[in-house]
C-alpha cells in the first residue's frame, strides 16, 4: 500500500516561534485549540540549534533559559500527534555562545586577521567545519530518536554571506582541495574571488544533500531536511543558495519570505511563488511563513499586524501557488489581536482547496531571470543592474493585467511551446547555448522583447564585442553608452538623469498646441508599441542607453534626446532636441526568422522599477501585447492598473486569480485598510460555443457573463484583497 507523503498533503501550517521564556508560560490547551480553529495540518516546532527546547544530551547544546528539565519541544510534538498533525522540527543553527566557541574554536568563522565573525553576542559557525558535518547531524539524530518528526527546517543554515570571507582553516583547506585559494578581499574582477563564489555555491548544495542523507537514513525516506529558503533572489545569491540545484533536490520549500520594501507591492508574493514553482514543479508545495506581527523597521515582534496586510499578502501568495503558514514570535502576548487574523484566511483556504492545487498556469508570456546574471553581470550592483529591470518588467505586466510567468534562462530549451513571448530584462550574461536557444525560439515564431544590455557578456561575465542577438535586429555597436544607471537618491540637478526619448514619427504638427516651426510633417502612423502617446513627441527617460546603430531590418521607434539642465528653470531647454541614436527598435521578422521582436535599448524597465514613471510601464506592456499578437488566453480588459491577473487550467476548468495591487501606506508593513475595486472586466478565451458556469469564490457574487466571439467577458462587480473567477 502506497501512502502519499506528508509533503504532498499538508496544506496549512502553524508556528509558535518559541522564546527562551516560553517554557515557563506555554499554554498547551490554548495552542491546541488554536490549531483546530485555524484548520492547520502541520506545525513547525522549535527543537534545537542555538537554543534547545528539550533536555539534550550534548552539554554545549544550550538549553532555553527557563527550560529547567522540561521537554517543551517533546510536549508540543505529542500534542500535535494527538491532533493528527505533521511535525517539522525547527533548527536555528549557525551561531553559538561563548562557551561553545571556547571549546571548539576550530568551528568558528574567522576574519583575515584571525578574529571571529560574530552576530550580536554569538559566534558564527563555519559550514565547512565539523560543526555542520558532524555535530549538527548528531543533534538531528538525537531529535529523531526522541520524537520522530516528519522533517526538519533550519532558519539560518547557509552561513556567512558573500560580503564576509571566512579565513578559517576549514575553508582554507577545503578550497585548496579543489585547486583554489581564498580571496583576500571582495573583488568581482579577481578570478580568485569568482572561483570562491562558485565553490561556496557547491558547498551549500553539498550541505543540503548531506543533511538529507542524515535525516532520511535515521528517520526514513520521507524525513526530509528542508532548510528554509528566502523568496528574494538577491538574498539567495548573497547566501550562495543555487536555487536551481537546491530545488532540484527538494520535495517541498519552507519559504521564509516576509520582508516588504517600498518598491515591491503585494504582487511580489505572487512572483515568488510562480518563480519557485517554475523551477521545481507545480505539483509540489510552498508553505510560506506569514507573520501575524508587524514588520518594518523596526519589526514589532509583539504587536499585531493589521488584518488587511496579512490578507493582501496571503492572497497574493495563493495566486502564485503558495500555502499559508501562520507565525507568532513567542507563546504569549499582551496584544491579543493577532490571534484573530488567521482563522478566516485559513478557513477560506480549506473551503477552496479544490481550486488551489493540481492546476497548470496558462500564461503565454515568460519573463526571463537568471541567478548567474545577478551574480556575474549584476555583481555588487545587482539591485540596480539586474534586479531593478526585472522588477520593472514584472510590475509593468501586472499593472497592465497581462498574465505572465518567470522562466529561468537555462530552462527555456525544455519549455517546448509553453511561451509565445519571452521578455529578457537586461539579461547581460548569455552563454552561446543560451543565445542559440533564443534564436531557435524566434525561428519557430516566438517573439522576443529585450531590454538594455542583454547579451553584452558571455556566460562567464566576459564582455562581447557585439551583444548576442543584436544581429537579429540588425544592431551594431556604435560608440560609448549614454546616460547612467544612477541611483534614485542622486542630486536632482545632475544632468545625466535629465534625458528624453523622441518618438517617431513626430505628430505635434497635427495635435493641439502652439505652432512649432521645427515640427516635421506627420507622414505615417505610429507603431503599436507607441499606442496611447499620440499627443507626445517626447517622453521622459533618465536612464542608460548603449549606443547602437541599425544597419538593416529593424524599425526605429524612438531615439535619444541628450540630457540638459534642470535648474534654474530658465536654463531648462533642449540643447540638442534630437539625435539619430536608437532607443527603441522593433522588427516584424527577426533576421527573417519569423518571430516579432522589440529591443528597448533605453533601459525603461530599470527606470520603471526605480521610479515608477507610468509611460515606461505602458511602453513595456504595449510591446508585449504587440508581440503576443492576440495569442493570450486571459486578460484584464480596460484595467486601471490596480488588479493583477494570474490564470490556471484544471481539467476543463479555468481558474483566474485577481489580486489587488493597491498600496496605500507609505511605510511597508503598515497596510491597514482594504480598498474596494470594481467593476473589473476579465476576458477569457473559451472555444466552446456554450456559456459555461462561472463562479466568484471570494465574494460569492453573481458575475455578468457575455460571449464575444471566441472570448468570454466576465464582469466582477467588486473585490477587495482578491477574487477568484472559476469558469467551467
Amino acid at each position: 500500500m502506497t501512502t502519499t507523503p506528508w509533503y504532498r498533503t499538508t496544506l496549512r501550517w502553524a508556528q509558535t516561534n518559541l522564546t527562551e521564556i516560553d517554557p515557563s508560560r506555554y499554554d498547551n490547551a490554548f495552542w491546541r485549540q488554536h490549531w483546530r480553529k485555524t484548520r492547520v495540518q502541520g506545525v513547525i516546532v522549535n527543537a534545537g540549534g542555538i537554543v534547545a527546547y528539550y533536555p539534550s544530551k550534548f552539554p554545549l547544546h544550550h538549553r532555553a533559559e527557563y527550560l529547567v528539565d522540561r521537554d517543551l519541544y517533546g510536549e508540543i510534538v505529542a500534542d500535535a500527534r494527538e491532533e493528527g498533525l505533521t511535525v517539522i522540527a525547527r533548527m536555528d543553527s549557525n551561531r553559538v555562545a561563548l562557551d561553545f566557541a571556547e571549546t571548539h574554536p576550530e568551528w568558528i568563522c574567522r576574519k583575515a586577521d584571525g578574529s571571529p565573525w560574530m552576530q550580536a553576542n554569538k559566534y558564527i559557525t563555519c559550514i565547512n567545519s565539523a560543526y555542520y558535518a558532524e555535530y549538527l547531524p548528531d543533534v538531528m539524530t538525537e531529535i529523531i530518536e526522541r520524537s520522530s518528526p516528519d522533517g526538519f527546517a533550519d532558519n539560518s543554515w547557509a552561513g556567512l554571506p558573500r560580503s564576509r570571507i571566512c579565513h578559517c582553516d576549514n575553508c582554507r583547506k577545503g578550497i585548496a582541495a579543489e585547486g583554489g585559494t581564498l580571496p583576500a578581499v571582495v573583488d568581482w574582477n579577481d578570478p580568485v574571488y569568482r572561483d570562491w563564489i562558485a565553490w561556496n555555491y557547491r558547498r551549500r548544495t553539498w550541505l543540503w544533500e548531506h543533511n538529507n542523507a542524515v535525516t532520511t537514513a535515521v528517520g526514513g525516506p520521507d524525513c526530509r531536511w528542508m532548510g528554509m529558503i528566502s523568496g528574494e533572489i538577491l538574498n539567495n545569491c548573497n547566501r550562495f543558495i543555487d536555487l536551481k540545484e537546491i530545488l532540484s533536490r527538494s520535495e517541498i520549500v519552507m519559504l521564509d519570505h516576509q520582508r516588504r520594501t517600498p518598491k515591491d507591492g503585494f504582487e511580489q508574493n505572487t512572483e515568488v511563488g510562480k518563480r519557485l514553482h517554475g523551477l521545481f514543479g507545480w505539483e509540489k508545495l510552498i508553505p510560506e511563513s506569514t507573520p501575524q506581527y508587524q514588520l518594518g523597521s523596526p519589526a514589532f515582534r509583539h504587536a499585531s499586524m493589521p488584518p488587511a496586510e496579512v490578507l493582501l499578502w496571503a492572497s497574493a501568495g495563493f495566486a502564485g501557488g503558495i500555502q499559508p503558514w501562520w507565525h507568532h514570535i513567542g507563546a504569549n502576548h499582551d496584544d491579543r489581536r493577532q490571534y484573530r487574523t488567521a482563522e478566516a484566511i485559513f478557513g477560506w483556504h480549506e473551503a477552496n482547496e479544490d481550486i488551489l492545487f493540481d492546476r497548470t498556469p496558462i500564461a503565454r508570456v515568460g519573463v526571463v531571470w537568471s541567478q548567474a546574471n545577478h551574480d556575474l553581470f549584476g555583481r555588487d550592483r545587482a539591485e540596480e543592474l539586474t534586479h531593478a529591470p526585472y522588477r520593472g518588467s514584472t510590475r509593468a505586466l501586472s499593472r497592465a493585467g497581462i498574465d505572465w510567468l518567470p522562466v529561468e534562462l537555462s530552462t527555456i530549451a525544455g519549455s517546448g511551446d509553453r511561451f509565445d513571448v519571452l521578455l529578457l530584462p537586461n539579461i547581460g550574461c548569455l552563454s552561446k547555448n543560451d543565445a542559440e536557444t533564443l534564436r531557435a525560439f524566434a525561428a519557430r515564431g516566438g517573439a522576443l522583447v529585450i531590454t538594455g544590455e542583454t547579451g553584452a557578456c558571455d556566460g562567464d561575465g566576459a564582455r562581447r564585442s557585439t551583444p548576442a542577438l543584436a544581429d537579429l535586429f540588425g544592431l551594431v555597436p556604435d560608440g560609448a553608452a549614454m546616460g547612467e544607471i544612477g541611483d534614485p537618491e542622486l542630486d536632482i540637478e545632475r544632468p545625466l538623469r535629465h534625458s528624453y526619448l523622441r518618438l517617431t514619427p513626430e505628430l505635434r504638427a497635427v495635435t493641439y498646441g502652439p505652432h512649432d516651426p521645427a515640427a516635421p510633417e506627420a507622414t505615417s502612423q505610429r507603431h503599436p508599441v507607441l499606442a496611447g502617446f499620440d499627443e507626445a513627441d517626447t517622453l521622459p527617460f533618465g536612464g542608460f542607453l548603449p549606443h547602437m546603430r541599425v544597419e538593416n531590418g529593424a524599425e526605429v521607434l524612438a531615439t535619444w534626446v541628450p540630457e540638459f539642465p534642470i535648474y534654474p528653470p530658465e536654463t531648462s531647454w533642449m540643447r540638442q532636441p534630437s539625435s539619430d541614436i536608437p532607443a527603441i527598435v522593433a522588427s516584424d521578422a527577426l533576421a527573417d526568422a519569423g518571430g516579432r521582436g522589440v529591443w528597448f535599448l533605453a533601459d525603461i524597465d530599470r527606470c520603471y522599477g526605480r521610479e515608477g514613471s507610468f509611460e515606461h510601464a505602458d511602453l513595456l506592456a504595449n510591446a508585449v501585447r504587440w508581440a503576443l499578437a492576440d495569442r493570450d488566453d486571459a486578460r484584464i480588459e480596460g484595467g486601471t492598473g490596480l488588479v493583477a491577473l494570474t490564470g490556471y487550467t484544471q481539467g476543463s476548468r479555468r481558474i483566474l486569480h485577481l489580486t489587488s495591487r493597491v498600496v496605500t501606506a507609505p511605510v511597508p508593513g503598515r497596510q491597514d485598510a482594504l480598498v474596494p475595486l470594481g467593476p473589473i472586466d476579465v476576458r477569457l478565451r473559451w472555444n466552446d460555443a456554450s456559456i459555461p458556469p462561472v463562479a466568484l469564490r471570494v465574494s460569492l457574487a453573481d458575475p455578468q457573463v457575455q460571449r464575444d466571439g471566441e472570448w468570454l467577458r466576465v464582469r466582477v462587480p467588486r473585490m477587495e484583497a482578491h477574487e477568484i473567477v472559476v469558469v467551467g
Side-chain angles (χ1 to χ4, degrees):
M1 177 179 174
T2 301
T3 302
T4 304
W6 64 267
Y7 43 76
R8 294 286 189 273
T9 60
T10 309
L11 308 180
R12 288 171 297 280
W13 292 83
Q15 181 184 4
T16 306
N17 198 329
L18 301 175
T19 63
E20 291 198 59
I21 195 176
D22 286 333
S24 68
R25 63 182 188 175
Y26 186 85
D27 184 344
N28 298 66
F30 168 79
W31 289 108
R32 289 183 67 162
Q33 177 192 39
H34 200 58
W35 296 341
R36 292 192 292 269
K37 286 173 66 71
T38 55
R39 316 303 297 165
V40 300
Q41 298 168 308
V43 292
I44 295 95
V45 186
N46 296 69
I50 299 174
V51 179
Y53 288 90
Y54 68 96
S56 174
K57 67 184 180 183
F58 297 100
L60 292 173
H61 196 188
H62 172 71
R63 296 186 186 186
E65 184 175 347
Y66 287 81
L67 186 66
V68 193
D69 291 324
R70 188 178 183 185
D71 182 1
L72 180 56
Y73 162 75
E75 291 175 21
I76 298 173
V77 172
D79 289 345
R81 294 309 190 193
E82 289 183 8
E83 298 288 336
L85 303 181
T86 300
V87 174
I88 298 301
R90 179 189 183 273
M91 308 285 286
D92 199 336
S93 306
N94 79 328
R95 281 166 264 173
V96 295
L98 176 61
D99 60 340
F100 205 130
E102 289 179 337
T103 304
H104 289 285
E106 74 279 11
W107 293 355
I108 306 303
C109 293
R110 301 287 169 180
K111 300 177 183 178
D113 63 3
S115 61
W117 281 110
M118 298 185 68
Q119 188 77 25
N121 65 342
K122 297 290 192 295
Y123 294 77
I124 300 175
T125 49
C126 179
I127 74 156
N128 295 302
S129 71
Y131 176 81
Y132 278 87
E134 300 172 12
Y135 172 76
L136 288 178
D138 287 344
V139 170
M140 290 189 290
T141 297
E142 177 185 53
I143 292 170
I144 293 171
E145 291 173 346
R146 290 179 63 95
S147 61
S148 301
D150 295 289
F152 284 80
D154 196 313
N155 188 54
S156 52
W157 62 276
L160 283 179
R162 71 186 187 194
S163 59
R164 302 179 184 180
I165 299 171
C166 179
H167 292 268
C168 77
D169 288 341
N170 302 296
C171 287
R172 196 178 308 279
K173 293 175 182 177
I175 197 170
E178 296 189 25
T181 58
L182 293 177
V185 295
V186 174
D187 181 4
W188 280 97
N189 293 318
D190 182 1
V192 172
Y193 179 73
R194 295 198 300 273
D195 289 345
W196 176 80
I197 292 284
W199 175 72
N200 272 286
Y201 272 117
R202 293 194 298 274
R203 293 302 298 166
R204 270 65 177 181
T205 302
W206 170 86
L207 180 60
W208 193 277
E209 292 178 332
H210 178 67
N211 286 335
N212 270 286
V214 171
T215 58
T216 55
V218 182
D222 291 329
C223 185
R224 310 288 300 192
W225 183 93
M226 299 156 288
M228 285 189 187
I229 293 179
S230 169
E232 295 181 80
I233 182 63
L234 296 187
N235 186 60
N236 287 308
C237 293
N238 191 41
R239 294 289 180 176
F240 307 107
I241 298 172
D242 186 326
L243 283 174
K244 186 178 179 184
E245 292 299 318
I246 291 294
L247 293 182
S248 71
R249 294 160 168 81
S250 302
E251 294 294 344
I252 188 172
V253 164
M254 305 305 289
L255 181 61
D256 185 12
H257 179 60
Q258 304 174 20
R259 189 173 69 90
R260 317 297 199 259
T261 74
K263 297 177 181 177
D264 295 307
F266 300 112
E267 69 266 24
Q268 68 163 300
N269 211 23
T270 308
E271 184 275 335
V272 168
K274 294 192 294 187
R275 174 161 44 84
L276 297 181
H277 275 302
L279 276 182
F280 88 138
W282 285 90
E283 76 283 3
K284 298 180 182 179
L285 302 178
I286 307 177
E288 176 185 61
S289 176
T290 305
Q292 310 300 291
Y293 53 85
Q294 289 187 19
L295 298 172
S297 182
F300 288 100
R301 301 281 203 179
H302 294 269
S304 301
M305 180 180 285
E309 169 77 7
V310 180
L311 177 57
L312 287 164
W313 187 257
S315 57
F318 298 161
I322 286 173
Q323 291 75 58
W325 155 11
W326 57 250
H327 181 195
H328 299 275
I329 300 291
N332 207 316
H333 304 88
D334 296 339
D335 182 349
R336 301 195 163 207
R337 295 172 296 171
Q338 60 187 281
Y339 301 140
R340 298 293 187 184
T341 306
E343 183 176 355
I345 297 172
F346 281 56
W348 180 90
H349 188 274
E350 180 187 48
N352 290 276
E353 286 179 11
D354 64 308
I355 59 168
L356 297 174
F357 302 94
D358 299 322
R359 57 194 192 171
T360 303
I362 63 173
R364 306 299 301 172
V365 178
V367 182
V368 179
W369 66 279
S370 161
Q371 195 163 357
N373 187 57
H374 289 303
D375 282 338
L376 299 175
F377 192 71
R379 300 188 174 188
D380 287 334
R381 299 182 64 197
E383 175 60 39
E384 301 168 67
L385 291 172
T386 56
H387 191 56
Y390 179 80
R391 173 193 289 121
S393 295
T394 57
R395 290 186 66 193
L397 298 187
S398 294
R399 175 182 178 274
I402 296 172
D403 195 7
W404 59 275
L405 284 173
V407 53
E408 204 277 329
L409 179 62
S410 65
T411 68
I412 294 172
S415 63
D417 61 354
R418 177 72 191 78
F419 299 103
D420 293 313
V421 178
L422 292 176
L423 170 54
L424 285 80
N426 206 38
I427 307 296
C429 286
L430 284 180
S431 70
K432 182 178 179 181
N433 286 341
D434 294 331
E436 291 306 313
T437 295
L438 293 165
R439 289 177 186 278
F441 175 79
R444 61 177 182 265
L448 298 174
V449 178
I450 297 172
T451 79
E453 292 191 283
T454 291
C457 296
D458 64 20
D460 296 320
R463 282 272 171 179
R464 291 185 169 103
S465 58
T466 300
L469 308 180
D471 60 302
L472 290 179
F473 292 80
L475 290 169
V476 178
D478 195 28
M482 281 69 62
E484 65 179 3
I485 291 174
D487 184 284
E489 302 303 322
L490 287 174
D491 183 0
I492 195 171
E493 295 194 36
R494 287 188 66 165
L496 288 176
R497 300 274 288 144
H498 194 222
S499 59
Y500 287 76
L501 305 178
R502 183 166 295 281
L503 310 184
T504 185
E506 298 177 57
L507 302 179
R508 66 187 181 279
V510 294
T511 56
Y512 179 74
H515 174 68
D516 182 355
E521 181 181 354
T523 58
S524 61
Q525 292 185 334
R526 283 182 173 169
H527 194 280
V529 170
L530 305 181
F533 297 115
D534 285 354
E535 294 189 3
D537 281 350
T538 59
L539 296 177
F541 175 36
F544 179 82
L545 177 70
H547 191 167
M548 308 274 273
R549 70 175 185 274
V550 178
E551 288 199 338
N552 57 69
E555 176 185 355
V556 177
L557 309 185
T559 54
W560 182 60
V561 177
E563 62 276 353
F564 54 95
I566 298 175
Y567 285 113
E570 291 81 1
T571 69
S572 189
W573 50 276
M574 293 180 178
R575 305 299 195 270
Q576 183 182 336
S578 62
S579 76
D580 61 357
I581 299 172
I584 307 172
V585 299
S587 174
D588 284 310
L590 296 174
D592 301 321
R596 288 180 169 184
V598 180
W599 197 316
F600 291 97
L601 294 163
D603 62 348
I604 63 169
D605 50 347
R606 182 185 356 256
C607 293
Y608 182 60
R610 181 181 62 203
E611 293 155 349
S613 296
F614 75 93
E615 296 99 334
H616 298 155
D618 287 347
L619 287 170
L620 286 164
N622 285 346
V624 169
R625 289 193 190 98
W626 175 73
L628 262 173
D630 205 33
R631 291 177 287 184
D632 53 333
D633 289 321
R635 67 182 73 154
I636 294 176
E637 191 172 61
T640 60
L642 302 180
V643 179
L645 168 70
T646 306
Y648 298 91
T649 182
Q650 185 190 63
S652 61
R653 293 201 292 193
R654 299 294 182 271
I655 300 166
L656 307 179
H657 284 254
L658 306 179
T659 50
S660 174
R661 300 183 68 252
V662 176
V663 178
T664 61
V667 179
R670 297 294 189 270
Q671 184 78 355
D672 60 359
L674 297 176
V675 179
L677 301 169
I680 302 152
D681 288 328
V682 182
R683 284 171 62 99
L684 173 70
R685 197 181 301 276
W686 191 263
N687 295 323
D688 192 322
S690 63
I691 295 181
V694 179
L696 304 182
R697 285 293 191 92
V698 179
S699 67
L700 305 180
D702 293 324
Q704 299 176 24
V705 184
Q706 295 179 328
R707 174 165 287 285
D708 182 7
E710 62 179 340
W711 294 88
L712 289 179
R713 179 183 287 113
V714 180
R715 170 157 286 190
V716 177
R718 186 178 186 273
M719 64 167 272
E720 290 184 337
H722 68 136
E723 184 59 88
I724 301 181
V725 182
V726 180
V727 180

